[in-house]
Amino acid sequence: MEHFDPFHPYNHDIDEDDMFVGMMYQYVTNMISLEPAPQLTRRAALNRDREEGHRRLVHDYFADNSVYQPSDFKKKVSFAEKCVSTNSQCNGKQVPYEYFQLRYDARGKRGFTGLQKCVAAIKLMALEESPDSIDDYMSMSKRTARESLYRLVRGVIETFSAKYLRKPSLNDMQQLYAAHEERHGFPGMIGSIDCTKWIWRNFPVAWKGQYTSGHLGSPSLVLEAVASQDLRIWHAFFGVAGSNNDVNVLDQSPIFQDLLTGKAPDAHFTVNGHEYKFGYYLTDGIYQPYSTFVKAFRHPIEPRDKLFKRRQEGARKDVERAFGVLKANWHIIEHAA
């Protein structure tokens, strides 16, 4: 018995539409074929000369007769000074932090030295260099450079947080009172409080409205800080969406948590024969009229009010100057993240 093919063009039992569908079916069936599974291939390892990268780094910045001198390259020397201080930190990290130790892999190939990793992290923060430039100069991959940055920051926080990332003690408060009274003429002043914004470049598009403010126009994150006359930041609160203003950030900030719970130290000071229990902060006009805030007169008329406004605005520049110095030394904060 002859095989019956319903899609044969000489079969008159089907119409032209069925014939067209059958022909297309055969064409698509012949065209579509299962592709073979891709073969698993390993990425070719780059032959990075890590020893040469270490020698180049020492020769440029840390040798007795280094390439870059203070009279020729001011910017590079400022970077080199940071590297020198970082070098001492790296030597201290050799014992407690295994990541910064000189290690060898299973093939017996030497890894990066602690100095290379620390300098790579400093260059990413201080000069805002890209990981590609780290690869070109020290033969270090992007992943290692970013991981070095993360490990160094975590190490600094773990090592120095007890000394620097803390609230002012009673002794610190008395020293702040004396320093601000001598420098600005404000007894009982703890510091100046203000906020700055860090532009966020690679933000999620779905969060654009939440992190964008009207006057800035770009998504950002807010840093609230209290700084004293010696540029020390005594309080830092970071991560609030950029659409908030200074008042909204203050509502979320833990700066007054000890004061509200009664855990704040009784740092007394005296003004014009009146004794006060807690210190105060200098602010601009956007903040609420709290008793712990001292703002300038908006429209002073009397000569003493004008003098107070001038002195208050001059003293309040301490926190603005702290932000400026912070961004000048660490360019990663100055530019978009």
Side-chain angles (χ1 to χ4, degrees):
M1 181 178 179
E2 185 179 358
H3 178 69
F4 177 74
D5 187 1
F7 302 109
H8 196 277
Y10 295 102
N11 188 357
H12 299 288
D13 295 338
I14 56 176
D15 54 12
E16 296 181 356
D17 293 339
D18 295 338
M19 183 185 302
F20 176 76
V21 173
M23 293 175 62
M24 291 301 298
Y25 174 78
Q26 290 183 351
Y27 175 77
V28 173
T29 303
N30 295 331
M31 289 294 297
I32 298 178
S33 61
L34 295 178
E35 298 181 358
Q39 296 180 355
L40 297 178
T41 58
R42 297 186 61 182
R43 184 180 61 180
L46 299 180
N47 186 18
R48 291 185 170 92
D49 193 352
R50 302 171 182 176
E51 292 81 1
E52 178 61 27
H54 178 76
R55 288 192 294 267
R56 186 187 305 116
L57 178 63
V58 173
H59 178 261
D60 289 345
Y61 295 102
F62 300 104
D64 295 334
N65 188 17
S66 60
V67 175
Y68 301 110
Q69 300 298 324
S71 59
D72 299 329
F73 299 95
K74 181 179 180 181
K75 183 176 181 181
K76 285 185 175 294
V77 166
S78 64
F79 157 66
E81 291 175 353
K82 295 185 180 70
C83 291
V84 171
S85 62
T86 305
N87 188 19
S88 61
Q89 294 179 13
C90 288
N91 294 333
K93 289 177 181 297
Q94 292 295 331
V95 176
Y97 295 99
E98 183 182 358
Y99 180 78
F100 291 94
Q101 296 178 2
L102 179 59
R103 295 177 295 177
Y104 294 83
D105 59 12
R107 300 170 298 173
K109 188 174 182 180
R110 195 182 80 169
F112 293 102
T113 62
L115 180 62
Q116 287 177 285
K117 295 178 180 179
C118 290
V119 170
I122 292 293
K123 293 187 71 173
L124 291 177
M125 292 188 293
L127 304 180
E128 205 209 9
E129 294 194 6
S130 64
D132 291 331
S133 63
I134 305 296
D135 190 4
D136 296 337
Y137 182 70
M138 288 189 295
S139 301
M140 182 179 294
S141 64
K142 298 180 181 179
R143 178 179 179 181
T144 305
R146 292 195 181 101
E147 189 175 3
S148 301
L149 173 61
Y150 175 78
R151 296 295 185 95
L152 179 66
V153 172
R154 295 302 306 175
V156 170
I157 292 176
E158 294 175 2
T159 305
F160 301 103
S161 60
K163 182 177 180 180
Y164 295 102
L165 297 181
R166 61 175 178 83
K167 302 174 183 178
S169 62
L170 182 59
N171 185 35
D172 296 331
M173 301 282 280
Q174 298 299 333
Q175 293 182 2
L176 289 174
Y177 290 168
H180 290 148
E181 183 176 6
E182 179 182 359
R183 184 181 181 90
H184 301 301
F186 283 91
M189 186 185 81
I190 303 175
S192 303
I193 184 172
D194 201 359
C195 295
T196 186
K197 295 188 176 182
W198 188 11
I199 297 178
W200 190 4
R201 181 173 57 191
N202 297 332
F203 62 93
V205 179
W207 297 356
K208 182 176 182 180
Q210 180 181 357
Y211 285 83
T212 305
S213 61
H215 68 281
L216 190 60
S218 300
S220 60
L221 298 170
V222 180
L223 168 64
E224 179 192 68
V226 174
S228 56
Q229 52 86 25
D230 58 351
L231 298 181
R232 177 161 181 173
I233 296 178
W234 291 96
H235 162 76
F237 179 61
F238 176 72
V240 181
S243 58
N244 294 276
N245 55 26
D246 295 9
V247 178
N248 302 130
V249 176
L250 185 66
D251 294 338
Q252 308 174 48
S253 174
I255 183 173
F256 296 138
Q257 185 174 0
D258 290 347
L259 188 63
L260 296 175
T261 57
K263 297 180 181 179
D266 296 341
H268 296 269
F269 68 95
T270 303
V271 177
N272 296 331
H274 298 278
E275 185 176 356
Y276 299 90
K277 187 176 181 181
F278 301 107
Y280 56 88
Y281 303 89
L282 298 185
T283 63
D284 53 14
I286 191 175
Y287 284 89
Q288 299 291 343
Y290 296 156
S291 60
T292 190
F293 289 154
V294 173
K295 301 188 294 184
F297 298 101
R298 179 171 297 182
H299 302 292
I301 299 177
E302 298 293 333
R304 66 174 187 176
D305 296 341
K306 295 181 180 180
L307 176 62
F308 177 81
K309 179 180 177 64
R310 185 167 60 252
R311 290 291 186 87
Q312 194 270 354
E313 291 177 346
R316 191 165 47 85
K317 296 301 179 181
D318 289 343
V319 64
E320 299 289 350
R321 188 163 60 98
F323 287 148
V325 173
L326 187 66
K327 295 178 180 180
N329 285 276
W330 307 102
H331 289 179
I332 192 174
I333 307 176
E334 172 67 20
H335 304 285

